[in-house]
């Protein structure tokens, strides 16, 4: 399962969207561009897979944070309801803190957020979530595939066999009128299920 966002439109055979007030997306120049403007509440621009019967394996995306104001561009896997499911694992380029962070939420309770590496604007990072039978391993790489940091997260309840959705999201929060922007170059996922 792979998408490198060629063309000028999102492939609607692969993706659904969830857009809060002030959120949008476009596809151009080989990138999925995500943008969301805050109105003092947490807001999301989410593009997520139509396929939901994923299994264990590695989920990867190459992303670039394009703005610094309370912004995050992230890869997550989840089971439940949007925007933030009770069971979710997240790795994000968090420009509010200028680092790459990971966390998981199990049954509605967040674990301890872990910092993996420093991050900079307009810099490509490869984010990876590896789902195993016992946990989720979050890894961050630079563009040359050098490992920057990793963390082991608690395993959300994705079911047995696992059924969950993969998404890419930008979010903005708490500061009215600030815009969060991020680009996704590509996403790769294992070919489990149908």
């Amino acid at each position: 399962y792979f998408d490198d966002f060629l063309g000028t439109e999102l492939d609607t055979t692969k993706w659904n969207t969830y857009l809060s007030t002030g959120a949008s997306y476009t596809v151009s120049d080989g990138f999925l561009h995500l943008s969301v403007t805050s109105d003092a509440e947490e807001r999301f621009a989410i593009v997520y897979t139509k396929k939901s019967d994923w299994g264990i394996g590695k989920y990867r995306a190459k992303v670039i944070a394009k703005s610094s104001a309370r912004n995050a561009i992230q890869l997550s896997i989840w089971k439940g309801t949007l925007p933030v499911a009770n069971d979710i694992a997240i790795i994000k380029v968090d420009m509010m803190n200028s680092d790459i962070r990971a966390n998981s939420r199990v049954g509605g309770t967040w674990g301890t957020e872990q910092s993996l590496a420093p991050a900079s604007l307009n810099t490509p990072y490869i984010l990876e979530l590896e789902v195993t039978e016992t946990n989720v391993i979050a890894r961050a790489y630079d563009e040359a595939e050098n490992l920057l940091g990793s963390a082991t997260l608690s395993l959300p309840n994705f079911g047995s066999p696992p059924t969950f959705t993969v998404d890419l999201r930008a979010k903005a929060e708490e500061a009215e009128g600030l815009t969060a922007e991020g680009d996704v170059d590509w996403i790769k996922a294992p070919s489990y299920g149908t």
Side-chain angles (χ1 to χ4, degrees):
Y1 192 95
F2 175 78
D3 198 338
D4 56 1
F5 304 106
L6 298 178
T8 58
E9 294 183 8
L10 194 65
D11 183 347
T12 56
T13 66
K14 293 182 177 180
W15 301 102
N16 289 314
T17 59
Y18 174 98
L19 302 173
S20 299
T21 302
S24 64
Y25 72 88
T26 59
V27 177
S28 64
D29 302 319
F31 289 93
L32 168 64
H33 309 282
L34 299 171
S35 176
V36 59
T37 300
S38 175
D39 62 355
E41 294 183 25
E42 191 171 48
R43 298 294 185 192
F44 296 93
I46 302 174
V47 174
Y48 64 102
T49 55
K50 286 193 169 181
K51 176 177 161 57
S52 62
D53 58 337
W54 296 104
I56 61 173
K58 293 181 180 179
Y59 300 82
R60 310 183 88 213
K62 184 176 177 184
V63 304
I64 303 169
K66 304 295 282 188
S67 62
S68 60
R70 297 192 182 272
N71 174 46
I73 179 81
Q74 62 195 40
L75 167 69
S76 64
I77 54 178
W78 53 275
K79 181 177 181 179
T81 58
L82 290 172
V84 181
N86 281 340
D87 288 276
I88 187 169
I90 292 174
I91 183 169
K92 61 186 176 180
V93 179
D94 181 351
M95 292 316 302
M96 188 166 83
N97 296 290
S98 298
D99 65 1
I100 300 172
R101 295 177 172 229
N103 202 356
S104 63
R105 190 176 191 206
V106 181
T109 302
W110 285 108
T112 302
E113 190 167 69
Q114 299 183 54
S115 177
L116 307 186
S120 300
L121 277 178
N122 301 308
T123 302
Y125 296 102
I126 297 170
L127 307 180
E128 178 180 279
L129 292 172
E130 181 179 5
V131 180
T132 73
E133 292 184 4
T134 58
N135 54 41
V136 176
I137 303 166
R139 297 182 186 95
Y141 301 87
D142 65 16
E143 192 172 22
E145 298 269 355
N146 297 306
L147 180 66
L148 301 174
S150 66
T152 300
L153 309 174
S154 297
L155 182 67
N157 180 17
F158 295 135
S160 183
T163 57
F164 48 85
T165 297
V166 181
D167 76 0
L168 305 156
R169 57 179 75 192
K171 77 172 189 172
E173 58 185 320
E174 297 177 7
E176 188 160 350
L178 297 179
T179 298
E181 294 179 311
D183 290 347
V184 183
D185 190 357
W186 49 258
I187 183 170
K188 296 179 183 177
S191 298
Y192 289 92
T194 55

